[in-house]
Amino acid sequence: MKTSLKILTLAGVLCAGLLTLHGADEKVLAGPKGGRLLEKTEPKAEFYLEKDHTATITFYDAALKPVPVAGQSVTVIADAKGGKATVEFEKKGDVLVSKTKLPEGDGYNLVVQFRPSADAKPQNLRFKLDTHICGGCKRAEYACNCHE
């Protein structure tokens, strides 16, 4: 009986540890404009969905001060209910702006293909595009950093 209790306790501790590690992996960094900072991009890139369903990518230095687009490029693949759509971006001023709108709707997956330079291998960054507003941090859910 004591052995079963020890095994059950050990299993519970392991499960709690795994859940804690999984939760730490999903931490979202919020950008200065209210969008989502994309992980592992240099300079830091913020994905922001505009009201007209176009997207803007703004780049920031380590102090989160805006920096102009240099040789970076971005493509977004949206896996919406109506099928996959590829959205290209172009430079406008100091930011990258989508040439077309993202698919209508909500709750679909995005793959952001980020290239720090034209000859670099793309980094694929994935997240779900949920646009409803979080009650805690008042940001769109795709950029929520309060985990409510």
Side-chain angles (χ1 to χ4, degrees):
M1 185 66 122
K2 287 184 180 183
T3 304
S4 296
L5 185 59
K6 286 181 183 179
I7 291 173
L8 188 59
T9 302
L10 180 61
V13 169
L14 286 173
C15 287
L18 288 173
L19 289 174
T20 301
L21 286 175
H22 181 66
D25 288 343
E26 293 183 10
K27 185 174 182 181
V28 173
L29 299 175
K33 288 177 61 177
R36 180 187 186 113
L37 280 180
L38 303 175
E39 297 176 24
K40 301 176 186 172
T41 57
E42 190 57 46
K44 282 285 184 205
E46 178 183 18
F47 176 92
Y48 182 76
L49 185 67
E50 303 286 349
K51 291 186 188 316
D52 66 354
H53 237 63
T54 59
T56 302
I57 306 289
T58 306
F59 295 98
Y60 300 97
D61 63 13
L64 293 181
K65 301 291 182 206
V67 296
V69 176
Q72 303 94 340
S73 65
V74 171
T75 301
V76 169
I77 300 168
D79 192 6
K81 291 180 182 178
K84 288 188 178 183
T86 301
V87 179
E88 301 288 331
F89 285 71
E90 62 187 351
K91 183 179 175 181
K92 283 194 180 174
D94 289 341
V95 299
L96 294 175
V97 178
S98 62
K99 293 180 181 180
T100 58
K101 295 179 180 183
L102 272 70
E104 291 298 321
D106 193 25
Y108 56 84
N109 293 319
L110 293 181
V111 178
V112 179
Q113 293 182 329
F114 170 76
R115 289 182 190 262
S117 63
D119 59 342
K121 182 178 176 181
Q123 298 171 326
N124 290 334
L125 309 151
R126 294 172 171 80
F127 61 93
K128 191 172 192 172
L129 184 66
D130 283 325
T131 59
H132 62 275
I133 303 300
C134 170
C137 64
K138 306 296 185 219
R139 293 175 172 264
E141 197 64 41
Y142 75 90
C144 171
N145 62 350
C146 72
H147 304 294
E148 279 199 15

